Amino acid sequence: MSILAILEFPDKRLRTVAEEVSQVDDSIKTLVDDMLETMYSAKGVGLAATQANVPKRVSVMDVIEDKDAPTCLINPGIIETQGSETSEEGCLSVPGFFEKVSRAEQIRVKALNRDGESFELEARDLLAVCIQHEMDHLLGKLFVDYLSAFKRNRIKSKLEKIHHQQGR
């Protein structure tokens, strides 16, 4: 397994719409394993393949404090939503920033697991938020897109300044 580089906002590659995975083969399983290792190393709760510059409909997450309940969603699709809640979100691609975002409170999603088997998952609370957040990444959307233009541009400017100082 290896640690993947995580793209940071405002990198345009984060706007790439991911392609459906046609077959869950060894390369996809390796991608899932690398994504989990990357997410755990970065101390995140979720990661979409597009954040690692891999335009595939693959996301991983683990919202349990002990980090021992990884979930993999390949070609995910939300089939039902209920309610609405606002919670503070952060993102490995927008490091150091946390803002309030409204999302469905409860969802049901259909996807393939790491072995290519179809399953459905009902999620609420942090897991529901995480799934929706990662699915947005697969569509080229970031949580900052839910913010006002002023807030989004302020975050963009601060990250560009940090990237410049780091020589990126």
Side-chain angles (χ1 to χ4, degrees):
M1 292 193 286
S2 60
I3 305 274
L4 305 170
I6 298 173
L7 301 176
E8 291 186 7
F9 180 69
D11 193 309
K12 291 179 182 357
R13 294 172 292 180
L14 287 167
R15 300 304 184 174
T16 302
V17 176
E19 301 167 3
E20 191 164 305
V21 173
S22 58
Q23 180 181 353
V24 178
D25 56 17
D26 287 345
S27 69
I28 296 298
K29 292 177 182 181
T30 298
L31 173 63
V32 168
D33 295 344
D34 290 348
M35 288 172 61
L36 284 167
E37 184 173 353
T38 301
M39 178 191 73
Y40 289 135
S41 174
K43 305 213 181 330
V45 296
L47 184 69
T50 51
Q51 290 176 272
N53 198 29
V54 179
K56 298 284 184 192
R57 291 187 51 77
V58 178
S59 62
V60 297
M61 58 216 61
D62 191 343
V63 299
I64 305 301
E65 191 171 322
D66 293 339
K67 299 297 181 206
D68 61 359
T71 299
C72 166
L73 301 175
I74 299 171
N75 297 335
I78 294 177
I79 52 179
E80 185 180 338
T81 65
Q82 291 181 349
S84 178
E85 70 175 335
T86 300
S87 59
E88 194 168 73
E89 289 187 29
C91 181
L92 294 174
S93 291
V94 189
F97 293 90
F98 299 87
E99 295 288 341
K100 296 214 179 275
V101 176
S102 293
R103 297 194 185 267
E105 180 179 16
Q106 185 173 342
I107 62 169
R108 186 166 53 186
V109 63
K110 184 175 183 174
L112 301 176
N113 66 17
R114 185 184 177 279
D115 295 319
E117 301 162 335
S118 181
F119 73 102
E120 288 188 15
L121 173 68
E122 287 194 23
R124 60 182 319 118
D125 303 323
L126 180 57
L127 181 57
V129 168
C130 188
I131 290 170
Q132 293 170 85
H133 178 109
E134 300 312 326
M135 287 182 67
D136 274 353
H137 277 298
L138 301 177
L139 298 172
K141 188 172 184 176
L142 302 171
F143 88 95
V144 295
D145 297 338
Y146 292 92
L147 307 177
S148 69
F150 174 78
K151 280 187 177 181
R152 185 172 46 256
N153 287 330
R154 190 185 86 223
I155 291 169
K156 179 181 175 185
S157 294
K158 287 182 179 182
L159 285 174
E160 285 175 332
K161 182 178 179 182
I162 291 168
H163 295 161
H164 180 74
Q165 290 170 342
Q166 295 173 343
R168 292 197 254 164

